[in-house]
Amino acid sequence: MKVRYSLEAFALAFVLYTTGLELALVAAAVIVAATILGDVLAGLAGKTVGAVIAVVAAFAALYFSLSYTGLGAGDYSDYAGAALVAVLIGKHVMDGVEPASTGELLKQNYVALVVMAIVAVVREVLGGGAVFGYEIGSFGLISGSYLSTYFGLIFGGLGIAAVNAILKKEMKCESLWVAVPVAVMSAVAGASVSAVVAAVIAVVLLISVRGKLVFSCTGKYFACLPVEMISLGFLTMMLTVI
């Protein structure tokens, strides 16, 4: 049975929205709701209707949550991020999925939501020593770098692999649906030309090594999208440091 949660949308959300638990819960809940709404409407009125309504609903909910509740910066980066995630939800609905029970549909989406929340807690603790704004202590591992885009990619790859393992599904997915939006986000949010150049070079390098990654000795749940997200994270990290 095919995946019933919006894989690419969640993968991008892991990068953009796991810098804090509150932000992650809001984003994941919107993705789950929009995905289920789109799937239901696709069954009733066709894939196009379902996809369009899912995109509009997800974009409106994400942008409102980020820009008007203080969870985001309230600038063009929020606008672009919400739009890209919404489009990936629409792509999931348009691609179509095999029929499945309501229980299976909810299970897959909620597993992705829980894993995303766990990743957000880890990043928030490592990035600032706090959860939900409550400080839990100070230790040597704390660094703002854990809240950066490249760590978002690394933790996102690990998170998607964890979802795969829990659901016991080997998922093949085009990583460029995540890599290119991340490059776009870097260009939108980057305050310098170097940030944009680093993002573009990282994507080009990822494309050049994807053939080797396919035949690398990764676990079956890390194959394809997760290992490519992790690789892109390390490539971006190295280019940013340089």
Side-chain angles (χ1 to χ4, degrees), residues 14-127:
F14 269 104
V15 181
L16 300 180
Y17 302 133
T18 56
T19 53
L21 179 56
E22 185 179 7
L23 177 60
L25 288 174
V26 169
V30 168
I31 293 172
V32 170
T35 300
I36 293 174
L37 174 64
D39 281 350
V40 170
L41 291 174
L44 295 175
K47 292 181 181 179
T48 302
V49 173
V52 169
I53 293 179
V55 168
V56 172
F59 174 77
L62 275 173
Y63 186 60
F64 178 82
S65 299
L66 295 172
S67 300
Y68 296 100
T69 62
L71 292 179
D75 56 20
Y76 287 112
S77 62
D78 287 343
Y79 187 92
L84 291 168
V85 171
V87 167
L88 290 178
I89 295 172
K91 174 186 174 298
H92 167 81
V93 175
M94 282 295 293
D95 285 345
V97 291
E98 296 175 356
S101 66
T102 302
E104 180 65 20
L105 176 63
L106 294 175
K107 172 188 172 183
Q108 290 193 22
N109 278 281
Y110 288 144
V111 166
L113 184 153
V114 170
V115 172
M116 185 169 164
I118 293 171
V119 169
V121 169
V122 172
R123 291 188 72 193
E124 192 172 9
V125 170
L126 292 176

Side-chain angles (χ1 to χ4, degrees), residues 5 7 159-169 171 221-223 226:
Y5 74 98
L7 178 56
I160 294 297
V163 176
N164 291 349
I166 293 170
L167 297 177
K168 292 182 171 53
K169 292 183 180 293
M171 303 171 188
Y221 298 127
F222 277 88

